[in-house]
Amino acid sequence: LEAFGPALAALGFAGARTLARKRGGMFVAACALTWFAVQALVRLFGLYDSGGYARFLAPVAPLWAVMAAAAWDRLLDPQSIRRARMALAIGAVMAVLCVAMELHLRHRDTIDHRTHPHLKADVPRLDEARNAVRVGTVGVIAAAVAVIVMHGRMRRGIPAGTGPLRLVLAVMMALTAWVFHRPLERGPVERLIDAELAWLRENGMGDRPVLCAHVWCAYRTDTALPLDRPGLAARIAAAPAGAIVLWERQFAVFNETPPVELKDLSPPHFRPLAGATGGARDGQTGIWIFEKLTHSERPPD
């Protein structure tokens, strides 16, 4: 839902079988569905510390668009029975996707956000997106049912068009494009990184090398590194005295090999700085800022 939007997601799943029957379509559908299944399993079982990010599905976005186009084309098929079957498939897929979303978010709803405020802040405007999917699901199912009912009444001379369903899907795709066509909202960690970088500039340390495992920091400091770059621990060890280390819990611990723990950045080799928050940090979303005092080619212990 997050990767393609609800309308394209439903159209893609519903159109996979139709596309597979066309020449060369089996290969396209198999590649897209296999990639989706692998990512779903990785997310389900927590393999490779995967976060289940929507960008993981970006490689199959063109293939998904082809499957969605096959479903859309079937909605315009001259044979009413084919249009009705595709409408049924789209409505059923949309219902399954909505139920899957509710199950996925149910655990989040049971968490006490007073003690875990970062979880609600991880996905800005989550409640709005959730309600939008619910409304869209109701609209798609209602339009699909209308197509099926009209197909059953064709003998009475009532045309079985798919106009209402196509209109609902088109509106959903347009709204999805409108929502996505804007700068992404920063999460809590990204906002803290920006605040710490601003604090460094205000305190005369803006020209210091900044080391951090978080991708937002690399983006903000324009220090994008190659894929075969050394790990954070090695970069900290090779950095000169005076370098700044921004440490956060997610990327530094779970995405680095070896992981860089908070205890690794302790005196006498490192000095903690108050930073923009004055030392007050949330246990999950906080940013710890350190100045390296001594130069050593050995990674932190």
Side-chain angles (χ1 to χ4, degrees):
L1 291 173
E2 185 184 0
F4 310 120
L8 279 178
L11 283 169
F13 279 117
R17 184 169 178 267
T18 300
L19 180 64
R21 292 183 172 183
K22 299 181 181 294
R23 182 177 181 180
M26 176 65 76
F27 179 74
V28 174
C31 288
L33 294 178
T34 300
W35 184 267
F36 176 86
V38 170
Q39 295 299 332
L41 291 174
V42 168
R43 170 63 172 170
L44 177 63
F45 294 105
L47 304 177
Y48 312 111
D49 293 324
S50 173
Y53 301 115
R55 63 175 178 266
F56 293 167
L57 295 177
V60 295
L63 305 184
W64 210 270
V66 174
M67 294 194 301
W72 189 271
D73 183 65
R74 183 52 62 93
L75 289 176
L76 299 172
D77 195 282
Q79 296 187 26
S80 175
I81 183 62
R82 291 183 176 179
R83 297 197 300 269
R85 287 174 178 172
M86 180 52 67
L88 175 62
I90 293 173
V93 169
M94 195 69 200
V96 171
L97 291 176
C98 186
V99 171
M101 177 196 70
E102 296 292 349
L103 293 176
H104 182 72
L105 297 178
R106 184 173 60 179
H107 174 66
R108 182 186 294 267
D109 292 338
T110 63
I111 296 175
D112 187 351
H113 295 294
R114 292 172 297 179
T115 57
H116 298 80
H118 65 287
L119 292 179
K120 192 172 184 64
D122 279 344
V123 184
R125 304 174 69 176
L126 175 62
D127 292 335
E128 295 180 24
R130 187 178 193 174
N131 291 330
V133 172
R134 289 170 174 171
V135 173
T137 300
V138 172
V140 169
I141 293 177
V145 170
V147 173
I148 297 171
V149 171
M150 286 189 293
H151 169 71
R153 295 182 177 180
M154 280 191 64
R155 296 178 181 178
R156 302 180 185 179
I158 301 176
T162 58
L165 178 57
R166 287 184 284 117
L167 177 61
V168 171
L169 292 170
V171 170
M172 291 175 63
M173 287 187 283
L175 291 176
T176 300
W178 178 74
V179 170
F180 284 170
H181 188 64
R182 65 176 67 180
L184 295 177
E185 295 188 32
R186 297 175 300 164
V189 177
E190 287 77 12
R191 290 193 294 270
L192 288 174
I193 289 176
D194 285 345
E196 298 297 357
L197 293 176
W199 182 86
L200 289 173
R201 292 191 296 269
E202 293 169 0
N203 288 271
M205 292 182 280
D207 58 343
R208 304 274 190 95
V210 177
L211 306 172
C212 183
H214 201 286
V215 293
W216 184 259
C217 185
Y219 167 71
R220 282 302 199 188
T221 57
D222 195 23
T223 55
L225 300 172
L227 295 177
D228 58 347
R229 65 186 180 275
L232 179 61
R235 284 184 279 139
I236 291 175
I244 302 298
V245 179
L246 296 183
W247 185 91
E248 44 72 45
R249 191 175 301 276
Q250 179 184 3
F251 285 86
V253 176
F254 297 105
N255 286 43
E256 289 291 326
T257 304
V260 177
E261 301 283 355
L262 190 59
K263 61 181 177 61
D264 297 328
L265 304 172
S266 57
H269 302 295
F270 299 91
R271 177 172 70 96
L273 302 176
T277 61
R281 301 174 180 89
D282 174 80
Q284 295 293 331
T285 60
I287 295 291
W288 281 255
I289 182 169
F290 298 89
E291 178 185 12
K292 185 176 180 181
L293 300 179
T294 59
H295 177 68
S296 172
E297 293 293 339
R298 184 173 61 87
D301 295 328

